[in-house]
Amino acid sequence: MKLHTLKPANGSTHHDKRVGRGPGSGMGGTSTRGHKGAKSRSGYHKKIGFEGGQMPLQRRLPKFGFKNINRVEYKAINLSVLQALAEQKNFEKIGREELIAAGFISSKQLVKILGNGELKAKLAVEANAFSKTAEAAIQAVGGIATKI
């Protein structure tokens, strides 16, 4: 087998229909487009969502929902994660830098500490926000919860 002997499998290729090439071709005259109307003209393009003049679906359905432009997104970190991090690395203070180094957050994310899990280590925790249960649990062990 050589490159110049290769050819496509039978039936896998076909020639495009050549329209508008005179009456002898069987596809002259209107060139298979029928008579009159926008679809028979060159340059026709149907608008997205156009339903032939009927009120389109995106205009028939009511608008709903609300997007708060002032919403603040936090990355949630649980107390169980802080406890595991404190045990592994022997931390007494956990802030954004420690969480970034451990790979829990990126440098652009804001952190919120949530109260899921149990905290045994006495930690000084710095974060952008705390849930009430998390703040209470940190202080119950003798730690400090500081909002940045």
Side-chain angles (χ1 to χ4, degrees):
M1 180 185 289
K2 296 194 171 138
L3 286 177
H4 72 277
T5 62
L6 292 176
K7 61 182 197 178
N10 285 338
S12 67
T13 62
H14 61 278
H15 295 291
D16 291 334
K17 185 193 295 187
R18 294 193 57 187
V19 297
R21 293 296 181 274
S25 68
M27 286 164 228
T30 57
S31 303
T32 72
R33 288 171 177 255
H35 294 277
K36 299 185 183 175
K39 285 186 183 177
S40 71
R41 320 268 186 224
S42 68
Y44 168 73
H45 174 71
K46 186 177 78 171
K47 288 190 171 76
I48 294 171
F50 184 66
E51 297 182 17
Q54 171 179 302
M55 187 61 69
L57 182 67
Q58 73 270 21
R59 291 189 61 200
R60 287 199 303 266
L61 298 177
K63 292 189 280 186
F64 66 94
F66 171 73
K67 195 108 173 157
N68 186 356
I69 59 168
N70 298 318
R71 178 176 164 78
V72 179
E73 279 283 338
Y74 291 103
K75 174 74 173 170
I77 304 286
N78 284 309
L79 289 177
S80 55
V81 172
L82 296 182
Q83 179 63 36
L85 196 60
E87 287 173 2
Q88 286 175 353
K89 309 271 183 165
N90 294 326
F91 285 142
E92 292 178 10
K93 175 191 170 285
I94 295 181
R96 287 179 48 79
E97 293 76 27
E98 289 79 15
L99 291 171
I100 291 168
F104 289 111
I105 61 169
S106 72
S107 59
K108 294 178 183 173
Q109 287 177 315
L110 301 176
V111 182
K112 182 170 185 175
I113 306 298
L114 303 181
N116 194 357
E118 193 178 347
L119 188 65
K120 297 171 188 163
K122 180 181 174 182
L123 292 173
V125 183
E126 287 183 358
N128 299 99
F130 292 89
S131 69
K132 289 177 185 173
T133 53
E135 200 164 0
I138 291 168
Q139 290 168 351
V141 190
I144 304 164
T146 312
K147 288 186 183 172
I148 302 172

